[in-house]
Amino acid sequence: MAAALASKCSRVGRSMLGGLGNNSSGLLSTSHEMTCSTFLSQQRTFIQMRTILKVVDNSGAKKVMCIQALKANKKGARLGDTIVASVKEAHPNGKVKKGQVVYGVVVRAAMQRGRCDGSEVKFDDNAVVLVDKQGRQPIGTRVFGPVPHELRKKKHVKILSLAEQIA
């Protein structure tokens, strides 16, 4: 059903680009288009190439763009996976500069992930903590916001110890 709705959305989008023309049901197609865009914006996917992530430590970077997901499946990175990223925005006096290639651990992901007890965890944003090339020591000395306890299974205990809140 999702694929059918997505294909309907793409058809409506193409017809709206061409203009309404002689279509007398302009209001109906506009409301249908808004429903489709709401549906498509709610889909959550893996963190993949060119995904912009928020940096939640005090390393000096504000936003990074994912270049490649390391040690992950072919689709992309999830909670606790290491990525290679490029710094897109940075503080002027930080440890990392704009344009620098860095490694990071995904600490918050908008894609939901199931837990052993049957519950699911998902966050509102995609966030990363910058680490060294070995992927063990964080560059910053503080981690802001909630961090899931699944990082313990992935051997990122240092990030958990720096975190304000463990979810």
Side-chain angles (χ1 to χ4, degrees):
M1 176 164 167
L5 187 57
S7 67
K8 284 183 182 178
C9 290
S10 64
R11 272 189 266 130
V12 170
R14 277 191 237 116
S15 67
M16 291 302 288
L17 289 175
L20 292 175
N22 294 332
N23 187 2
S24 62
S25 63
L27 284 174
L28 180 65
S29 63
T30 306
S31 65
H32 179 69
E33 181 181 359
M34 289 182 354
T35 304
C36 292
S37 66
T38 305
F39 172 74
L40 290 176
S41 67
Q42 290 175 351
Q43 288 181 332
R44 307 295 181 151
T45 59
F46 289 91
I47 293 169
Q48 53 195 356
M49 190 184 303
R50 299 185 63 87
T51 301
I52 301 292
L53 297 106
K54 181 179 177 183
V55 179
V56 292
D57 61 8
N58 60 349
S59 61
K62 294 180 189 176
K63 292 187 186 246
V64 295
M65 184 178 71
C66 178
I67 296 173
Q68 183 180 12
L70 302 176
K71 299 180 186 173
N73 58 10
K74 292 180 182 179
K75 293 181 183 178
R78 297 180 80 171
L79 282 175
D81 288 340
T82 305
I83 63 168
V84 180
S86 171
V87 178
K88 291 298 175 187
E89 292 180 25
H91 291 288
N93 297 329
K95 295 178 186 174
V96 295
K97 304 297 181 201
K98 182 179 176 184
Q100 190 174 348
V101 177
V102 293
Y103 289 81
V105 174
V106 178
V107 294
R108 292 201 294 261
M111 183 179 178
Q112 62 187 4
R113 174 146 187 172
R115 289 187 168 170
C116 297
D117 61 355
S119 63
E120 293 180 337
V121 62
K122 103 175 160 180
F123 295 96
D124 292 334
D125 60 347
N126 296 320
V128 69
V129 171
L130 301 184
V131 294
D132 60 356
K133 286 191 177 187
Q134 287 77 28
R136 293 286 172 228
Q137 296 296 327
I139 294 175
T141 56
R142 295 177 65 195
V143 176
F144 306 110
V147 173
H149 66 83
E150 281 86 1
L151 293 180
R152 191 175 307 279
K153 294 177 190 172
K154 301 265 186 160
K155 307 282 193 262
H156 298 294
V157 182
K158 182 69 175 174
I159 295 173
L160 283 172
S161 66
L162 295 174
E164 292 177 347
Q165 179 182 359
I166 298 175

